[in-house]
Amino acid sequence: MVKGTETTWWHSGTVYQVYPRSFCDSDGDGIGDLGGILEKVEYLHWLGVDAVWLSPVYRSPQKDNGYDISDYREIDPTFGTLSQVDELIAALSQKGMKLIMDLVVNHTSVEHPWFAESRASIDSEKRDWYIWREPRVGTRAGDLGAEPTNWESYFSRPAWTLDEKTGEYYLHLFSPDQPDLNWENPAVRQEVYETMRWWLDRGVGGFRMDVINLISKKYPLGDGPVSVESGRGDGREWYLHGPRLTEFLKEMHSEVFAGRDAGIVRIGETPDVTVQQARDLSESGGRKLDMVFQFEHVSLDRARDNWMRPVPLARHEVYRNLADWQDGLASQGWNSLYWTNHDQPRTVSRFGDDSPEHWAQSAKTLATVLYLMKGTAFVYQGDEIGMVNMPFSSLNDFDDISAVEYSRAALDRGRPAEEVLRDLSRTSRDNARTPMQWTSEVSAGFSAGIPWFPVNPSATWLSVAAQRDDPNSVLSHMREVIAARSKFDALATGAFSDIPAPDSRLVAFDRTSTDQTVRVIANLSSEAVRLPSLNMGGLVEHDSLRVGVVSATVLGAWASTVWISA
Ligand code: GLC
């Protein structure tokens, strides 16, 4: 079988994302670890997921919680050992699940030996492994504005940092601790491929590739349009979906994936990707990626020129956007279906209604609507129980580097602290990074010690323990949704078709295969809505996926129902 030309596990599959630091702590140091994940394999199997995507556990100074790697083949002692990863692969595989590793190769940590060598001198053999430039013409190193281009990094600083020793600047699209690798250099690419083969040989089931559409830069680099807010430039024209991206991914395919198991999955995280680019990148048999994480639906409630500033969300636009992606990738390409991950706030607080009255129903309905679309389902830890945003009360409460840097920069520019706190409370990644809520006991059953980050106070009533045996819980519903994905043919590869509704709070769509139809109808609002008459000929309601429907003609707040051909 040629990779990419057949139906494989992920068409109907569900991937569960573990953010190891906050998942389960087995040794009482307050930080989640591999031992903790091993303890939860049974739970993941019970939930019914097909694979676990593990956020980085490699050796790292942890400046960006592991997305700054200093050794790609070692495990950070915070999380455990390499033999525990082997154990995890075996334990998952025994239950029919795969382990997907996070591959962060747009950049390394400044503490990676490659960077140490590269920065040592201008003549270093590895100088060209990173992107070094002299100060801007007519300026001296260290002068204001001497950076080679005017770009702002993703983390609210200039994208260039001066290395005093050699008087040159290095590029970092994220923090100064995360220098960008120079993918133009074939030796860099070969090292990356070698590392990937090494992990595949250990038995991992694929990779989630961090910001993979940033690896190819457009040269020569130049200044981008300046934002009023930061006074710095937007360099995306030079680093998004660069001219050699496709070539690099094809090379990766032939060096790493060709001839291997067709079930090995390549998931690309691709900020700002367009539908057309996504079609091309995830084209079946296209030797690039199997699917992409697009960002449009998670950008609808953010200011255009400031990702950390919330703007009001029109809920119907979210569904509209997802439906557009369904149409866009209908004949070519493949979607990743996600509401949240470790970089996003909590689903129910953001897209649903986390008030006591609507919390459970909105969490369930959001799961039904998204995960019954066409694509691979991604469930982020805690989302299966409807975890909510953290009630932050001060700027000192934030831990994440992007929040800390955003607040520093905003305060420097004179914005009032309350305003910055309001932004971050809504948009901060820390919302998703509080410890997993296993029980209502001290530390939410996450750790026997003091958790590295405070537990969300909702743990008193919101936990796995409180929901596991309740057939009406968010967790039980999520299990039903996951099971339905592989039970019904139409949900694997069946076509998606939107059913236009007269009321923008209502959404309805069909998934259709040759001999089956699945119809989803939902009210994405906190008010009851009159239901238009839909021809239900030959369809029967699927009781276990029905949420809060009160009558045949009115859908209650956040009610949803799924109908399937007999
Ligand atoms: C990705 C990761 C995010 C990280 C960034 C830099 O977007 O998901 O957590 O900060 O890349 O590696």
Side-chain angles (χ1 to χ4, degrees), residues 64 67 104 107 155 174 178 208 210-211 269 295 341-343 429 433:
D64 185 15
Y67 285 88
V104 189
H107 45 271
F155 295 159
F174 294 88
Q178 295 163 295
R208 173 271 186 185
D210 194 70
V211 292
E269 187 207 23
F295 276 64
N341 56 44
H342 64 294
D343 294 333
R429 314 196 290 186
R433 299 180 178 189

mmCIF file with all atom_site columns, all heavy atoms in Angstrom, residues 64 67 104 107 155 174 178 208 210-211 269 295 341-343 429 433, ligand 1:
data_model
loop_
_atom_site.group_PDB
_atom_site.id
_atom_site.type_symbol
_atom_site.label_atom_id
_atom_site.label_alt_id
_atom_site.label_comp_id
_atom_site.label_asym_id
_atom_site.label_entity_id
_atom_site.label_seq_id
_atom_site.pdbx_PDB_ins_code
_atom_site.Cartn_x
_atom_site.Cartn_y
_atom_site.Cartn_z
_atom_site.occupancy
_atom_site.B_iso_or_equiv
_atom_site.pdbx_formal_charge
_atom_site.auth_seq_id
_atom_site.auth_comp_id
_atom_site.auth_asym_id
_atom_site.auth_atom_id
_atom_site.pdbx_PDB_model_num
ATOM   1   N N   . ASP A 1 64  ? 9.615  27.625 27.196 1.00 0.00 ? 64  ASP A N   1
ATOM   2   C CA  . ASP A 1 64  ? 8.286  27.617 26.580 1.00 0.00 ? 64  ASP A CA  1
ATOM   3   C C   . ASP A 1 64  ? 7.679  26.228 26.833 1.00 0.00 ? 64  ASP A C   1
ATOM   4   O O   . ASP A 1 64  ? 7.143  25.589 25.930 1.00 0.00 ? 64  ASP A O   1
ATOM   5   C CB  . ASP A 1 64  ? 8.414  27.930 25.079 1.00 0.00 ? 64  ASP A CB  1
ATOM   6   C CG  . ASP A 1 64  ? 7.058  28.062 24.381 1.00 0.00 ? 64  ASP A CG  1
ATOM   7   O OD1 . ASP A 1 64  ? 6.029  28.190 25.074 1.00 0.00 ? 64  ASP A OD1 1
ATOM   8   O OD2 . ASP A 1 64  ? 7.045  28.035 23.126 1.00 0.00 ? 64  ASP A OD2 1
ATOM   9   N N   . TYR A 1 67  ? 8.725  23.516 24.336 1.00 0.00 ? 67  TYR A N   1
ATOM   10  C CA  . TYR A 1 67  ? 8.799  23.853 22.907 1.00 0.00 ? 67  TYR A CA  1
ATOM   11  C C   . TYR A 1 67  ? 10.130 24.553 22.591 1.00 0.00 ? 67  TYR A C   1
ATOM   12  O O   . TYR A 1 67  ? 10.272 25.229 21.572 1.00 0.00 ? 67  TYR A O   1
ATOM   13  C CB  . TYR A 1 67  ? 7.573  24.665 22.469 1.00 0.00 ? 67  TYR A CB  1
ATOM   14  C CG  . TYR A 1 67  ? 6.354  23.772 22.341 1.00 0.00 ? 67  TYR A CG  1
ATOM   15  C CD1 . TYR A 1 67  ? 5.534  23.527 23.435 1.00 0.00 ? 67  TYR A CD1 1
ATOM   16  C CD2 . TYR A 1 67  ? 6.072  23.121 21.149 1.00 0.00 ? 67  TYR A CD2 1
ATOM   17  C CE1 . TYR A 1 67  ? 4.438  22.666 23.327 1.00 0.00 ? 67  TYR A CE1 1
ATOM   18  C CE2 . TYR A 1 67  ? 4.989  22.267 21.029 1.00 0.00 ? 67  TYR A CE2 1
ATOM   19  C CZ  . TYR A 1 67  ? 4.173  22.035 22.117 1.00 0.00 ? 67  TYR A CZ  1
ATOM   20  O OH  . TYR A 1 67  ? 3.107  21.175 22.006 1.00 0.00 ? 67  TYR A OH  1
ATOM   21  N N   . VAL A 1 104 ? 9.379  19.610 17.065 1.00 0.00 ? 104 VAL A N   1
ATOM   22  C CA  . VAL A 1 104 ? 9.558  21.065 17.083 1.00 0.00 ? 104 VAL A CA  1
ATOM   23  C C   . VAL A 1 104 ? 10.889 21.374 16.408 1.00 0.00 ? 104 VAL A C   1
ATOM   24  O O   . VAL A 1 104 ? 11.945 21.369 17.050 1.00 0.00 ? 104 VAL A O   1
ATOM   25  C CB  . VAL A 1 104 ? 9.560  21.596 18.538 1.00 0.00 ? 104 VAL A CB  1
ATOM   26  C CG1 . VAL A 1 104 ? 9.533  23.122 18.557 1.00 0.00 ? 104 VAL A CG1 1
ATOM   27  C CG2 . VAL A 1 104 ? 8.383  21.032 19.315 1.00 0.00 ? 104 VAL A CG2 1
ATOM   28  N N   . HIS A 1 107 ? 12.716 25.597 15.269 1.00 0.00 ? 107 HIS A N   1
ATOM   29  C CA  . HIS A 1 107 ? 13.713 26.221 16.130 1.00 0.00 ? 107 HIS A CA  1
ATOM   30  C C   . HIS A 1 107 ? 14.184 25.210 17.168 1.00 0.00 ? 107 HIS A C   1
ATOM   31  O O   . HIS A 1 107 ? 13.536 24.180 17.371 1.00 0.00 ? 107 HIS A O   1
ATOM   32  C CB  . HIS A 1 107 ? 13.107 27.437 16.842 1.00 0.00 ? 107 HIS A CB  1
ATOM   33  C CG  . HIS A 1 107 ? 11.731 27.168 17.399 1.00 0.00 ? 107 HIS A CG  1
ATOM   34  N ND1 . HIS A 1 107 ? 10.581 27.374 16.671 1.00 0.00 ? 107 HIS A ND1 1
ATOM   35  C CD2 . HIS A 1 107 ? 11.314 26.675 18.598 1.00 0.00 ? 107 HIS A CD2 1
ATOM   36  C CE1 . HIS A 1 107 ? 9.522  27.045 17.397 1.00 0.00 ? 107 HIS A CE1 1
ATOM   37  N NE2 . HIS A 1 107 ? 9.941  26.602 18.575 1.00 0.00 ? 107 HIS A NE2 1
ATOM   38  N N   . PHE A 1 155 ? 6.208  36.383 20.359 1.00 0.00 ? 155 PHE A N   1
ATOM   39  C CA  . PHE A 1 155 ? 6.136  36.634 21.800 1.00 0.00 ? 155 PHE A CA  1
ATOM   40  C C   . PHE A 1 155 ? 6.534  38.065 22.168 1.00 0.00 ? 155 PHE A C   1
ATOM   41  O O   . PHE A 1 155 ? 7.299  38.300 23.110 1.00 0.00 ? 155 PHE A O   1
ATOM   42  C CB  . PHE A 1 155 ? 6.989  35.619 22.572 1.00 0.00 ? 155 PHE A CB  1
ATOM   43  C CG  . PHE A 1 155 ? 6.511  34.183 22.486 1.00 0.00 ? 155 PHE A CG  1
ATOM   44  C CD1 . PHE A 1 155 ? 7.391  33.133 22.747 1.00 0.00 ? 155 PHE A CD1 1
ATOM   45  C CD2 . PHE A 1 155 ? 5.193  33.871 22.166 1.00 0.00 ? 155 PHE A CD2 1
ATOM   46  C CE1 . PHE A 1 155 ? 6.970  31.812 22.691 1.00 0.00 ? 155 PHE A CE1 1
ATOM   47  C CE2 . PHE A 1 155 ? 4.764  32.545 22.096 1.00 0.00 ? 155 PHE A CE2 1
ATOM   48  C CZ  . PHE A 1 155 ? 5.650  31.513 22.363 1.00 0.00 ? 155 PHE A CZ  1
ATOM   49  N N   . PHE A 1 174 ? 9.985  33.036 17.734 1.00 0.00 ? 174 PHE A N   1
ATOM   50  C CA  . PHE A 1 174 ? 9.351  32.977 19.061 1.00 0.00 ? 174 PHE A CA  1
ATOM   51  C C   . PHE A 1 174 ? 10.274 33.706 20.050 1.00 0.00 ? 174 PHE A C   1
ATOM   52  O O   . PHE A 1 174 ? 10.742 34.791 19.743 1.00 0.00 ? 174 PHE A O   1
ATOM   53  C CB  . PHE A 1 174 ? 8.999  31.516 19.414 1.00 0.00 ? 174 PHE A CB  1
ATOM   54  C CG  . PHE A 1 174 ? 7.937  30.990 18.471 1.00 0.00 ? 174 PHE A CG  1
ATOM   55  C CD1 . PHE A 1 174 ? 8.280  30.389 17.261 1.00 0.00 ? 174 PHE A CD1 1
ATOM   56  C CD2 . PHE A 1 174 ? 6.600  31.185 18.753 1.00 0.00 ? 174 PHE A CD2 1
ATOM   57  C CE1 . PHE A 1 174 ? 7.309  29.982 16.361 1.00 0.00 ? 174 PHE A CE1 1
ATOM   58  C CE2 . PHE A 1 174 ? 5.615  30.783 17.860 1.00 0.00 ? 174 PHE A CE2 1
ATOM   59  C CZ  . PHE A 1 174 ? 5.971  30.177 16.670 1.00 0.00 ? 174 PHE A CZ  1
ATOM   60  N N   . GLN A 1 178 ? 14.597 30.664 21.613 1.00 0.00 ? 178 GLN A N   1
ATOM   61  C CA  . GLN A 1 178 ? 14.190 29.682 20.584 1.00 0.00 ? 178 GLN A CA  1
ATOM   62  C C   . GLN A 1 178 ? 14.693 30.100 19.198 1.00 0.00 ? 178 GLN A C   1
ATOM   63  O O   . GLN A 1 178 ? 13.898 30.502 18.338 1.00 0.00 ? 178 GLN A O   1
ATOM   64  C CB  . GLN A 1 178 ? 12.653 29.555 20.588 1.00 0.00 ? 178 GLN A CB  1
ATOM   65  C CG  . GLN A 1 178 ? 12.091 28.966 21.883 1.00 0.00 ? 178 GLN A CG  1
ATOM   66  C CD  . GLN A 1 178 ? 10.606 29.225 22.065 1.00 0.00 ? 178 GLN A CD  1
ATOM   67  O OE1 . GLN A 1 178 ? 10.182 30.369 22.202 1.00 0.00 ? 178 GLN A OE1 1
ATOM   68  N NE2 . GLN A 1 178 ? 9.801  28.173 22.072 1.00 0.00 ? 178 GLN A NE2 1
ATOM   69  N N   . ARG A 1 208 ? 3.275  15.303 15.270 1.00 0.00 ? 208 ARG A N   1
ATOM   70  C CA  . ARG A 1 208 ? 2.555  16.566 15.151 1.00 0.00 ? 208 ARG A CA  1
ATOM   71  C C   . ARG A 1 208 ? 3.671  17.583 14.984 1.00 0.00 ? 208 ARG A C   1
ATOM   72  O O   . ARG A 1 208 ? 4.550  17.711 15.843 1.00 0.00 ? 208 ARG A O   1
ATOM   73  C CB  . ARG A 1 208 ? 1.746  16.810 16.410 1.00 0.00 ? 208 ARG A CB  1
ATOM   74  C CG  . ARG A 1 208 ? 1.060  18.187 16.495 1.00 0.00 ? 208 ARG A CG  1
ATOM   75  C CD  . ARG A 1 208 ? 1.957  19.227 17.145 1.00 0.00 ? 208 ARG A CD  1
ATOM   76  N NE  . ARG A 1 208 ? 1.271  20.495 17.353 1.00 0.00 ? 208 ARG A NE  1
ATOM   77  C CZ  . ARG A 1 208 ? 1.873  21.584 17.808 1.00 0.00 ? 208 ARG A CZ  1
ATOM   78  N NH1 . ARG A 1 208 ? 3.151  21.562 18.112 1.00 0.00 ? 208 ARG A NH1 1
ATOM   79  N NH2 . ARG A 1 208 ? 1.199  22.686 17.981 1.00 0.00 ? 208 ARG A NH2 1
ATOM   80  N N   . ASP A 1 210 ? 5.236  21.007 14.839 1.00 0.00 ? 210 ASP A N   1
ATOM   81  C CA  . ASP A 1 210 ? 5.068  22.362 15.360 1.00 0.00 ? 210 ASP A CA  1
ATOM   82  C C   . ASP A 1 210 ? 5.361  23.404 14.265 1.00 0.00 ? 210 ASP A C   1
ATOM   83  O O   . ASP A 1 210 ? 6.390  23.311 13.586 1.00 0.00 ? 210 ASP A O   1
ATOM   84  C CB  . ASP A 1 210 ? 6.072  22.514 16.508 1.00 0.00 ? 210 ASP A CB  1
ATOM   85  C CG  . ASP A 1 210 ? 5.818  23.720 17.383 1.00 0.00 ? 210 ASP A CG  1
ATOM   86  O OD1 . ASP A 1 210 ? 4.838  23.715 18.116 1.00 0.00 ? 210 ASP A OD1 1
ATOM   87  O OD2 . ASP A 1 210 ? 6.645  24.657 17.341 1.00 0.00 ? 210 ASP A OD2 1
ATOM   88  N N   . VAL A 1 211 ? 4.493  24.398 14.137 1.00 0.00 ? 211 VAL A N   1
ATOM   89  C CA  . VAL A 1 211 ? 4.646  25.500 13.162 1.00 0.00 ? 211 VAL A CA  1
ATOM   90  C C   . VAL A 1 211 ? 5.441  25.111 11.909 1.00 0.00 ? 211 VAL A C   1
ATOM   91  O O   . VAL A 1 211 ? 6.370  25.800 11.493 1.00 0.00 ? 211 VAL A O   1
ATOM   92  C CB  . VAL A 1 211 ? 5.227  26.779 13.818 1.00 0.00 ? 211 VAL A CB  1
ATOM   93  C CG1 . VAL A 1 211 ? 4.233  27.382 14.791 1.00 0.00 ? 211 VAL A CG1 1
ATOM   94  C CG2 . VAL A 1 211 ? 6.558  26.551 14.541 1.00 0.00 ? 211 VAL A CG2 1
ATOM   95  N N   . GLU A 1 269 ? 1.048  21.591 12.157 1.00 0.00 ? 269 GLU A N   1
ATOM   96  C CA  . GLU A 1 269 ? 0.473  22.811 12.732 1.00 0.00 ? 269 GLU A CA  1
ATOM   97  C C   . GLU A 1 269 ? 0.835  23.950 11.782 1.00 0.00 ? 269 GLU A C   1
ATOM   98  O O   . GLU A 1 269 ? 2.014  24.189 11.520 1.00 0.00 ? 269 GLU A O   1
ATOM   99  C CB  . GLU A 1 269 ? 1.030  23.086 14.128 1.00 0.00 ? 269 GLU A CB  1
ATOM   100 C CG  . GLU A 1 269 ? 0.308  24.252 14.797 1.00 0.00 ? 269 GLU A CG  1
ATOM   101 C CD  . GLU A 1 269 ? 1.133  25.008 15.828 1.00 0.00 ? 269 GLU A CD  1
ATOM   102 O OE1 . GLU A 1 269 ? 2.379  24.954 15.771 1.00 0.00 ? 269 GLU A OE1 1
ATOM   103 O OE2 . GLU A 1 269 ? 0.541  25.673 16.675 1.00 0.00 ? 269 GLU A OE2 1
ATOM   104 N N   . PHE A 1 295 ? -6.109 27.792 11.497 1.00 0.00 ? 295 PHE A N   1
ATOM   105 C CA  . PHE A 1 295 ? -6.311 28.686 12.638 1.00 0.00 ? 295 PHE A CA  1
ATOM   106 C C   . PHE A 1 295 ? -7.489 29.655 12.491 1.00 0.00 ? 295 PHE A C   1
ATOM   107 O O   . PHE A 1 295 ? -7.687 30.504 13.355 1.00 0.00 ? 295 PHE A O   1
ATOM   108 C CB  . PHE A 1 295 ? -5.036 29.504 12.885 1.00 0.00 ? 295 PHE A CB  1
ATOM   109 C CG  . PHE A 1 295 ? -4.004 28.775 13.709 1.00 0.00 ? 295 PHE A CG  1
ATOM   110 C CD1 . PHE A 1 295 ? -3.411 27.620 13.230 1.00 0.00 ? 295 PHE A CD1 1
ATOM   111 C CD2 . PHE A 1 295 ? -3.634 29.248 14.963 1.00 0.00 ? 295 PHE A CD2 1
ATOM   112 C CE1 . PHE A 1 295 ? -2.465 26.936 13.980 1.00 0.00 ? 295 PHE A CE1 1
ATOM   113 C CE2 . PHE A 1 295 ? -2.686 28.574 15.727 1.00 0.00 ? 295 PHE A CE2 1
ATOM   114 C CZ  . PHE A 1 295 ? -2.100 27.409 15.235 1.00 0.00 ? 295 PHE A CZ  1
ATOM   115 N N   . ASN A 1 341 ? -6.469 23.497 22.390 1.00 0.00 ? 341 ASN A N   1
ATOM   116 C CA  . ASN A 1 341 ? -5.257 22.735 22.672 1.00 0.00 ? 341 ASN A CA  1
ATOM   117 C C   . ASN A 1 341 ? -4.486 23.544 23.718 1.00 0.00 ? 341 ASN A C   1
ATOM   118 O O   . ASN A 1 341 ? -5.064 24.430 24.354 1.00 0.00 ? 341 ASN A O   1
ATOM   119 C CB  . ASN A 1 341 ? -4.453 22.464 21.377 1.00 0.00 ? 341 ASN A CB  1
ATOM   120 C CG  . ASN A 1 341 ? -4.107 23.741 20.633 1.00 0.00 ? 341 ASN A CG  1
ATOM   121 O OD1 . ASN A 1 341 ? -3.695 24.732 21.225 1.00 0.00 ? 341 ASN A OD1 1
ATOM   122 N ND2 . ASN A 1 341 ? -4.271 23.736 19.315 1.00 0.00 ? 341 ASN A ND2 1
ATOM   123 N N   . HIS A 1 342 ? -3.227 23.258 23.884 1.00 0.00 ? 342 HIS A N   1
ATOM   124 C CA  . HIS A 1 342 ? -2.452 23.919 24.954 1.00 0.00 ? 342 HIS A CA  1
ATOM   125 C C   . HIS A 1 342 ? -2.175 25.397 24.648 1.00 0.00 ? 342 HIS A C   1
ATOM   126 O O   . HIS A 1 342 ? -1.597 26.089 25.479 1.00 0.00 ? 342 HIS A O   1
ATOM   127 C CB  . HIS A 1 342 ? -1.142 23.180 25.151 1.00 0.00 ? 342 HIS A CB  1
ATOM   128 C CG  . HIS A 1 342 ? -0.261 23.252 23.929 1.00 0.00 ? 342 HIS A CG  1
ATOM   129 N ND1 . HIS A 1 342 ? -0.608 22.663 22.721 1.00 0.00 ? 342 HIS A ND1 1
ATOM   130 C CD2 . HIS A 1 342 ? 0.904  23.878 23.711 1.00 0.00 ? 342 HIS A CD2 1
ATOM   131 C CE1 . HIS A 1 342 ? 0.325  22.929 21.832 1.00 0.00 ? 342 HIS A CE1 1
ATOM   132 N NE2 . HIS A 1 342 ? 1.262  23.664 22.397 1.00 0.00 ? 342 HIS A NE2 1
ATOM   133 N N   . ASP A 1 343 ? -2.548 25.868 23.446 1.00 0.00 ? 343 ASP A N   1
ATOM   134 C CA  . ASP A 1 343 ? -2.316 27.270 23.069 1.00 0.00 ? 343 ASP A CA  1
ATOM   135 C C   . ASP A 1 343 ? -3.606 28.093 23.079 1.00 0.00 ? 343 ASP A C   1
ATOM   136 O O   . ASP A 1 343 ? -3.596 29.256 22.666 1.00 0.00 ? 343 ASP A O   1
ATOM   137 C CB  . ASP A 1 343 ? -1.735 27.347 21.644 1.00 0.00 ? 343 ASP A CB  1
ATOM   138 C CG  . ASP A 1 343 ? -0.343 26.743 21.553 1.00 0.00 ? 343 ASP A CG  1
ATOM   139 O OD1 . ASP A 1 343 ? 0.370  26.741 22.573 1.00 0.00 ? 343 ASP A OD1 1
ATOM   140 O OD2 . ASP A 1 343 ? 0.017  26.265 20.458 1.00 0.00 ? 343 ASP A OD2 1
ATOM   141 N N   . ARG A 1 429 ? -3.043 31.343 27.039 1.00 0.00 ? 429 ARG A N   1
ATOM   142 C CA  . ARG A 1 429 ? -2.848 29.896 26.929 1.00 0.00 ? 429 ARG A CA  1
ATOM   143 C C   . ARG A 1 429 ? -2.871 29.229 28.308 1.00 0.00 ? 429 ARG A C   1
ATOM   144 O O   . ARG A 1 429 ? -3.106 28.031 28.429 1.00 0.00 ? 429 ARG A O   1
ATOM   145 C CB  . ARG A 1 429 ? -1.512 29.594 26.245 1.00 0.00 ? 429 ARG A CB  1
ATOM   146 C CG  . ARG A 1 429 ? -1.262 30.431 24.990 1.00 0.00 ? 429 ARG A CG  1
ATOM   147 C CD  . ARG A 1 429 ? -0.169 29.881 24.124 1.00 0.00 ? 429 ARG A CD  1
ATOM   148 N NE  . ARG A 1 429 ? 1.168  30.005 24.701 1.00 0.00 ? 429 ARG A NE  1
ATOM   149 C CZ  . ARG A 1 429 ? 2.276  29.683 24.042 1.00 0.00 ? 429 ARG A CZ  1
ATOM   150 N NH1 . ARG A 1 429 ? 2.203  29.227 22.805 1.00 0.00 ? 429 ARG A NH1 1
ATOM   151 N NH2 . ARG A 1 429 ? 3.464  29.801 24.606 1.00 0.00 ? 429 ARG A NH2 1
ATOM   152 N N   . ARG A 1 433 ? -3.786 25.332 30.731 1.00 0.00 ? 433 ARG A N   1
ATOM   153 C CA  . ARG A 1 433 ? -2.614 24.655 31.295 1.00 0.00 ? 433 ARG A CA  1
ATOM   154 C C   . ARG A 1 433 ? -2.738 24.371 32.786 1.00 0.00 ? 433 ARG A C   1
ATOM   155 O O   . ARG A 1 433 ? -1.779 23.926 33.416 1.00 0.00 ? 433 ARG A O   1
ATOM   156 C CB  . ARG A 1 433 ? -1.362 25.484 30.976 1.00 0.00 ? 433 ARG A CB  1
ATOM   157 C CG  . ARG A 1 433 ? -1.160 25.602 29.471 1.00 0.00 ? 433 ARG A CG  1
ATOM   158 C CD  . ARG A 1 433 ? 0.058  26.418 29.086 1.00 0.00 ? 433 ARG A CD  1
ATOM   159 N NE  . ARG A 1 433 ? 0.195  26.432 27.636 1.00 0.00 ? 433 ARG A NE  1
ATOM   160 C CZ  . ARG A 1 433 ? 1.256  26.909 26.995 1.00 0.00 ? 433 ARG A CZ  1
ATOM   161 N NH1 . ARG A 1 433 ? 2.270  27.420 27.685 1.00 0.00 ? 433 ARG A NH1 1
ATOM   162 N NH2 . ARG A 1 433 ? 1.299  26.873 25.674 1.00 0.00 ? 433 ARG A NH2 1
HETATM 163 C C1  . GLC B 2 .   ? 3.501  26.121 18.586 1.00 0.00 ? 1   GLC B C1  1
HETATM 164 C C2  . GLC B 2 .   ? 3.205  25.482 19.921 1.00 0.00 ? 1   GLC B C2  1
HETATM 165 C C3  . GLC B 2 .   ? 3.320  26.528 20.993 1.00 0.00 ? 1   GLC B C3  1
HETATM 166 C C4  . GLC B 2 .   ? 4.735  27.057 20.982 1.00 0.00 ? 1   GLC B C4  1
HETATM 167 C C5  . GLC B 2 .   ? 5.160  27.540 19.606 1.00 0.00 ? 1   GLC B C5  1
HETATM 168 C C6  . GLC B 2 .   ? 6.653  27.653 19.518 1.00 0.00 ? 1   GLC B C6  1
HETATM 169 O O1  . GLC B 2 .   ? 2.547  27.040 18.212 1.00 0.00 ? 1   GLC B O1  1
HETATM 170 O O2  . GLC B 2 .   ? 1.976  24.843 19.897 1.00 0.00 ? 1   GLC B O2  1
HETATM 171 O O3  . GLC B 2 .   ? 2.976  26.043 22.258 1.00 0.00 ? 1   GLC B O3  1
HETATM 172 O O4  . GLC B 2 .   ? 4.861  28.101 21.907 1.00 0.00 ? 1   GLC B O4  1
HETATM 173 O O5  . GLC B 2 .   ? 4.776  26.672 18.577 1.00 0.00 ? 1   GLC B O5  1
HETATM 174 O O6  . GLC B 2 .   ? 7.230  26.385 19.516 1.00 0.00 ? 1   GLC B O6  1
#
